[in-house]
């Protein structure tokens, strides 16, 4: 069964510093998509960054970048120049194709990140 | 494009009552997902629609749960004979055909007393 594991339940970082959130996953598929979503307190979940497994180049979105290690099935998120607005739950997610040819998304348990002033 | 909307945002009900939630996806999105999220956990997949067809259901979706998406537009999720264990945030997400990113609604928080 496909699983997504986030081993850091909580993390904190000083404003303007860099922090890395870890994610590992398990799959036998070769082509898939990985995502990091952010869920601020009492607000809806939004996409932070996406990585296609067939791309070797790590995805980058402004201050957010990933370190995608396909062989190790690792997908970590690096946040540079952390801002107070980055305080949120961060979920790693994996898109898998089902036996019926549809897609479903599997989420990790999340990492609660707190940015300290 | 006003994003994914969900109604109501909060629902408090007594055990044994029926509740219904509504999700309005982004207008051009033909794929719609329902998730359940309990405190401190990530979203758990419940069911998936492509247009009006319900193509995938999780084993989490007991026979007390039913979902519909008439005409492939909005969707409803009904829970019959609610139990305290049903207390959770129910999230809806939509995706455009050929795309891979889900867009989430704000969720409906259900509390069963």
């Amino acid at each position: 069964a496909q699983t997504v594991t986030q081993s850091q339940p909580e993390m904190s970082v000083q404003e303007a510093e860099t922090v890395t959130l870890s994610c590992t996953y398990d799959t036998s598929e070769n082509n898939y998509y990985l995502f990091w979503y952010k869920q601020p307190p009492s607000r809806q979940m939004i996409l932070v960054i996406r990585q296609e497994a067939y791309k070797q180049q790590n995805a980058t979105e402004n201050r957010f970048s990933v370190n995608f290690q396909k062989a190790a099935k690792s997908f970590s998120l690096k946040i540079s120049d952390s801002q107070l607005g980055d305080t949120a739950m961060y979920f790693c997610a994996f898109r898998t194709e089902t036996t019926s040819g549809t897609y479903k998304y599997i989420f990790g348990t999340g990492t609660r990140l707190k940015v300290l002033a | 494009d006003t994003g994914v909307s969900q109604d109501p945002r909060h629902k408090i009900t007594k055990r044994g009552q029926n509740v219904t939630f509504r999700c309005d996806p982004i207008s051009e999105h033909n794929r719609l997902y329902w998730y359940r999220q309990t405190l401190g956990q990530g979203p758990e997949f419940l069911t998936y629609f492509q247009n009006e067809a319900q193509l995938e259901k999780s084993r989490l979706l007991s026979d007390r749960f039913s979902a519909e998406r008439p005409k492939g537009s909005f969707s409803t999720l009904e829970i019959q004979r609610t139990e305290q264990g049903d207390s959770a945030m129910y999230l809806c997400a939509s995706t455009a055909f050929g795309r891979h990113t889900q867009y989430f609604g704000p969720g409906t928080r259900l509390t069963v007393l």
Side-chain angles (χ1 to χ4, degrees):
Chain A
Q2 286 101 345
T3 57
V4 176
T5 302
Q6 293 181 250
S7 58
Q8 305 152 314
E10 294 188 5
M11 295 188 72
S12 61
V13 62
Q14 288 295 135
E15 197 174 8
E17 297 294 307
T18 295
V19 64
T20 298
L21 310 183
S22 301
C23 173
T24 58
Y25 57 94
D26 187 25
T27 183
S28 57
E29 296 179 23
N30 191 45
N31 293 320
Y32 48 87
Y33 291 80
L34 293 159
F35 307 84
W36 278 99
Y37 280 90
K38 167 185 177 181
Q39 189 175 40
S42 301
R43 296 179 62 186
Q44 66 198 76
M45 197 162 332
I46 58 173
L47 178 72
V48 175
I49 198 165
R50 183 185 85 195
Q51 175 79 43
E52 292 88 341
Y54 63 87
K55 289 187 178 179
Q56 292 185 337
Q57 187 172 7
N58 289 324
T60 300
E61 288 287 342
N62 301 314
R63 298 183 295 107
F64 299 88
S65 62
V66 299
N67 182 4
F68 173 49
Q69 301 290 327
K70 191 173 182 179
K73 295 179 183 175
S74 171
F75 183 60
S76 60
L77 174 69
K78 185 171 84 170
I79 306 174
S80 304
D81 185 26
S82 297
Q83 301 175 359
L84 295 178
D86 295 335
T87 293
M89 282 288 287
Y90 286 81
F91 293 98
C92 179
F94 166 89
R95 192 195 80 162
T96 179
E97 185 170 357
T98 68
T99 54
S100 58
T102 62
Y103 296 105
K104 68 178 183 181
Y105 296 73
I106 300 171
F107 287 79
T109 52
T111 296
R112 185 177 303 280
L113 177 68
K114 187 170 185 179
V115 180
L116 307 171
Chain B
D1 177 4
T2 57
V4 179
S5 61
Q6 292 186 246
D7 183 70
R9 295 290 304 276
H10 303 273
K11 179 70 177 179
I12 300 174
T13 190
K14 293 181 178 179
R15 189 176 54 186
Q17 297 295 304
N18 299 343
V19 294
T20 300
F21 310 140
R22 176 179 171 127
C23 170
D24 286 89
I26 294 172
S27 58
E28 66 269 24
H29 287 189
N30 69 327
R31 294 176 177 168
L32 187 147
Y33 298 79
W34 284 99
Y35 293 90
R36 181 173 67 188
Q37 185 181 24
T38 53
L39 199 62
Q41 299 296 315
E44 296 175 291
F45 169 78
L46 290 178
T47 191
Y48 160 69
F49 288 87
Q50 184 164 304
N51 300 313
E52 67 276 8
Q54 188 175 20
L55 298 184
E56 194 80 21
K57 289 172 63 173
S58 166
R59 282 170 290 187
L60 292 174
L61 214 66
S62 75
D63 56 5
R64 296 185 299 106
F65 288 70
S66 63
E68 294 182 341
R69 193 183 182 197
K71 303 178 183 177
S73 55
F74 70 92
S75 177
T76 58
L77 177 68
E78 180 184 14
I79 309 174
Q80 296 182 327
R81 306 181 304 281
T82 53
E83 301 172 356
Q84 288 183 326
D86 297 332
S87 295
M89 176 75 85
Y90 289 84
L91 297 171
C92 175
S94 69
T95 307
F97 179 77
R99 302 292 183 179
H100 312 293
T101 298
Q102 293 190 307
Y103 294 86
F104 282 84
T108 294
R109 182 169 297 282
L110 173 66
T111 302
V112 182
L113 302 176

